[in-house]
Amino acid sequence: MAKALLGYVGGPDPRMLTEVRRLQQRVQDLESELIRMQAENDALTAVADEHSLLRSIDLDQREPALT
């Protein structure tokens, strides 16, 4: 009976280990992609700030608002 229970409980399932490894690799890939996209977004934001329309407006020569 003990052998039957031990065989039933057994060790780790090779299919489960393979799936866990695959999922861990996928998580690492997604984390790398996230870091790359965050760096790209930061670079694009910096470029956009440099060419912002609001920065080109001279506040000393603004026109009065219509009332």
Side-chain angles (χ1 to χ4, degrees):
M1 179 78 174
K3 286 184 179 181
L5 287 174
L6 230 112
Y8 175 74
V9 174
D13 183 9
R15 292 173 294 177
M16 182 72 77
L17 292 176
T18 302
E19 182 68 8
V20 168
R21 283 190 207 106
R22 186 186 71 77
L23 291 173
Q24 288 172 336
Q25 183 61 47
R26 181 69 176 141
V27 168
Q28 288 176 351
D29 293 345
L30 290 172
E31 287 172 341
S32 298
E33 181 73 8
L34 177 63
I35 291 169
R36 185 191 66 76
M37 292 180 81
Q38 285 174 333
E40 185 178 338
N41 188 44
D42 291 345
L44 289 171
T45 301
V47 169
D49 284 345
E50 289 177 7
H51 296 93
S52 173
L53 177 62
L54 295 176
R55 288 183 178 242
S56 66
I57 297 173
D58 187 8
L59 296 178
D60 294 333
Q61 296 183 6
R62 58 186 170 205
E63 297 179 11
L66 299 175
T67 55

